Amino acid sequence: LCAPQVRCYHRRRGGREVVFGVQFHTGTLRGPRLRLRRNELDLAWQDQRFPPDATVEFIFSSGPERVEG
């Protein structure tokens, strides 16, 4: 079990900007999907560019196959 840290970046000329970050413990996962609300994302929770009902969904797989949805 581990606690990966994920950061999402916006690439732009001259570099990149962190959009949000999140860290979670893999032992808490219940199934292949993890959906997080804006208030659970570092930086995004206070960023007015994100709508109040924004979510990010992670889909985990044991292989490279495509997941529907």
Side-chain angles (χ1 to χ4, degrees):
L1 302 178
C2 67
Q5 182 167 0
V6 178
R7 291 194 184 258
C8 180
Y9 294 91
H10 178 223
R11 189 169 58 172
R12 51 177 49 175
R13 285 188 204 154
R16 60 187 184 173
E17 173 188 7
V18 177
V19 177
F20 69 84
V22 65
Q23 187 169 0
F24 55 92
H25 196 287
T26 56
T28 64
L29 296 176
R30 301 290 179 243
R33 295 174 187 256
L34 173 64
R35 182 176 289 182
L36 300 169
R37 296 180 304 273
R38 171 185 159 179
N39 66 342
E40 298 172 297
L41 303 171
D42 294 344
L43 302 177
W45 70 271
Q46 61 187 2
D47 190 334
Q48 297 305 310
R49 295 176 293 181
F50 282 81
D53 61 346
T55 61
V56 172
E57 184 175 29
F58 295 94
I59 302 172
F60 301 95
S61 174
S62 61
E65 64 276 355
R66 295 183 74 96
V67 178
E68 297 292 322

